[in-house]
Amino acid sequence: KGGLNPGLREQVHGWRKRAAALQMECRNVNFDVLQSMPVPQYYLDSLPMHVKEVLGEPLVRELMMPNNFSIERYLKSLNMWNAQHAGMMASKLEKAVMIWSIRIEAEKRHHGGGSGLEKASGGG
């Protein structure tokens, strides 16, 4: 019978748990740092005017439906559920949120108050 002896196996398991905890802590620090950084104006200027240009019509329709949207379910329905496509989708969604945020802020400035996401998105 091969493999590590029980003592060494337990030690490796402990290292794995500590490494996973350290990785999670690094992610949290990176997230906090990124959240505190201002978005460069050249990036904002490079975004398209409409979310549909980033996400595509089918995904915009799916997001506007009153159900619980699931990226996993959506990508699986397209046979695209893997790390690469999930990363690309996360990037697209971040851009969409940025576009919606810009439009909501513009609506607030022009109308002196808040407006709903549906109105600010202009249908996407």
Side-chain angles (χ1 to χ4, degrees), residues 7 17 44 46 50 107 110 121:
K17 285 175 69 175
L44 297 175
S46 74
H50 302 283
E107 287 284 324
H110 289 252
S121 68

Side-chain angles (χ1 to χ4, degrees), residues 65-76:
M65 298 295 279
N67 59 3
N68 292 329
F69 178 75
S70 164
I71 282 289
E72 180 177 355
R73 187 175 58 241
Y74 180 76
L75 290 176
K76 281 182 176 179

Side-chain angles (χ1 to χ4, degrees), residues 47 51 54-55 63 91-101:
L47 292 172
V51 170
V54 175
L55 299 179
L63 288 170
S91 178
K92 288 179 178 184
L93 289 170
E94 287 174 349
K95 288 178 183 177
V97 167
M98 189 67 59
I99 292 167
W100 279 323
S101 296

